[in-house]
Amino acid sequence: MNIYDKFAYFYTKGDFPQYSQRMATYLPAVFEKFKIKPQTLLDIACGEGAFVVSMVKSGYTGYGVDLSPQQIKFARKRAEKEKVQAEFMVQDIRSLSFKNKFDLVTCWFDSLNYLLELDDLEKTFVGVSRALKKGGAFIFDLNTILELAVNWSENKTYIFYDEDDRYLIRHHPVPFDFEKNIGVLKITGFMKKGKGWQRMDEVHKQRGYKIEEIRYCLKKANLKELACLGSLEKITELKPDSTRVWFVARK
Ligand SMILES: C[S@@+](CC[C@H](N)C(=O)[O-])C[C@H]1O[C@@H](n2cnc3c(N)ncnc32)[C@H](O)[C@@H]1O
């Protein structure tokens, strides 16, 4: 079973999908600034489809891929419920493969941090480049090392949400590994089942990448960096205390 298969239900029921929906509202200004005029888009590690569905509603043709069959199931359900035409497929972003090419590829909400080897990040970027038309754009975000090393520190526990029928906790059981730049997040959820509760646990590992490592992978994939941002909303540069980084790149 993949990570996010058991968590998918809690993900789609929480406010997690709102992050990529917010990104969709920031994009028109980003398109204008960098002269990007997409019609077709591919969202990689698309989760339960909130971003693709938002973009299709705004007139784009949208595709999404994710490793978790359960997330893809929820994505198809969301498209059906919201009556939009969007295609979702199970694919590993490290080996992307498409017959058609896209004007825009996106990857949101620290999905790329789940790639724990630099080689996997490079393979993903090469696959993105293959999937893009010439002149097409790639826009993505990652948690910075600062976010994983400081905000994901040992033994911090938070309640994500506490509802009548579901309860979700996040916990960081071990210190950040400064050698491998990897942080660990344990998610425990309880879902009401009849008169009782069903428990699920998932352990997620994320790697923080140095900015020069991300740039190295872009170069290897023949993608040209247009911007390295600390806020996509304000389109402002990355700062030393940024907890998230956004890149805008072009093939
Ligand atoms: C934090 S969620 C973000 C989902 C979505 N992008 C969003 O903004 O809501 C991370 C997603 O990355 C997916 N993922 C992790 N590793 C992956 C891989 N190697 N290939 C495809 N998807 C992957 C997970 O299944 C999960 O849906």
Side-chain angles (χ1 to χ4, degrees):
M1 194 175 261
N2 298 303
I3 50 162
Y4 279 86
D5 274 339
K6 288 188 279 179
F7 179 38
Y9 169 82
F10 294 92
Y11 195 89
T12 197
K13 292 280 181 191
D15 57 11
F16 305 101
Q18 288 169 20
Y19 173 82
S20 68
Q21 287 169 330
R22 266 203 333 273
M23 296 303 116
T25 67
Y26 304 154
L27 283 183
V30 176
F31 291 164
E32 195 172 315
K33 169 131 183 118
F34 298 102
K35 299 185 172 50
I36 298 167
K37 290 183 181 145
Q39 286 180 337
T40 56
L41 73 94
L42 165 69
D43 188 34
I44 62 167
C46 65
E48 51 71 80
F51 174 74
V52 172
V53 168
S54 296
M55 293 298 281
V56 173
K57 279 183 168 173
S58 303
Y60 299 93
T61 303
Y63 296 78
V65 295
D66 198 278
L67 190 60
S68 157
Q70 197 55 48
Q71 289 277 66
I72 290 297
K73 216 164 144 184
F74 281 125
R76 290 180 181 144
K77 249 190 187 168
R78 180 187 278 276
E80 198 184 311
K81 193 171 158 214
E82 303 200 25
K83 295 186 173 57
V84 304
Q85 280 284 335
E87 210 170 303
F88 293 101
M89 284 160 281
V90 174
Q91 265 199 34
D92 190 321
I93 60 173
R94 292 169 291 186
S95 50
L96 292 167
S97 164
F98 295 93
K99 285 192 201 111
N100 41 337
K101 292 195 185 278
F102 303 89
D103 301 316
L104 173 69
V105 178
T106 52
C107 189
W108 305 117
F109 216 6
D110 42 85
S111 301
L112 292 168
N113 293 98
Y114 284 91
L115 304 175
L116 302 182
E117 302 290 337
L118 186 65
D119 190 43
D120 287 336
L121 191 67
E122 185 183 328
K123 279 186 196 146
T124 301
F125 284 10
V126 168
V128 166
S129 186
R130 253 194 332 263
L132 277 173
K133 288 180 193 162
K134 198 160 168 40
F138 180 32
I139 307 178
F140 59 94
D141 72 56
L142 285 127
N143 274 330
T144 60
I145 293 174
L146 178 71
E147 168 68 10
L148 300 177
V150 178
N151 295 343
W152 280 38
S153 60
E154 187 184 11
N155 275 330
K156 268 197 193 165
T157 303
Y158 317 81
I159 297 170
F160 262 133
Y161 57 69
D162 177 359
E163 306 282 345
D164 288 345
D165 61 345
R166 54 193 194 276
Y167 190 80
L168 193 66
I169 307 160
R170 63 181 281 169
H171 178 63
H172 299 288
V174 293
F176 184 72
D177 179 339
F178 280 95
E179 199 134 298
K180 296 182 176 144
N181 281 338
I182 289 177
V184 179
L185 164 67
K186 185 174 175 201
I187 302 169
T188 300
F190 296 90
M191 187 198 310
K192 200 93 191 231
K193 272 268 156 115
K195 285 191 178 150
W197 291 82
Q198 185 177 318
R199 175 175 172 157
M200 76 91 204
D201 293 284
E202 277 193 6
V203 175
H204 293 192
K205 286 185 182 175
Q206 288 200 4
R207 171 165 169 179
Y209 284 95
K210 293 179 191 158
I211 298 304
E212 64 257 35
E213 289 175 321
I214 302 168
R215 289 190 166 133
Y216 166 85
C217 292
L218 284 173
K219 225 177 185 174
K220 283 281 189 176
N222 289 319
L223 294 166
K224 186 174 174 272
E225 176 184 328
L226 302 183
C228 172
L229 306 169
S231 165
L232 191 71
E233 181 182 11
K234 299 184 185 128
I235 317 184
T236 47
E237 275 181 26
L238 185 74
K239 292 192 199 131
D241 62 351
S242 297
T243 53
R244 187 174 291 276
V245 58
W246 287 262
F247 273 86
V248 182
R250 197 188 313 269
K251 182 172 171 182

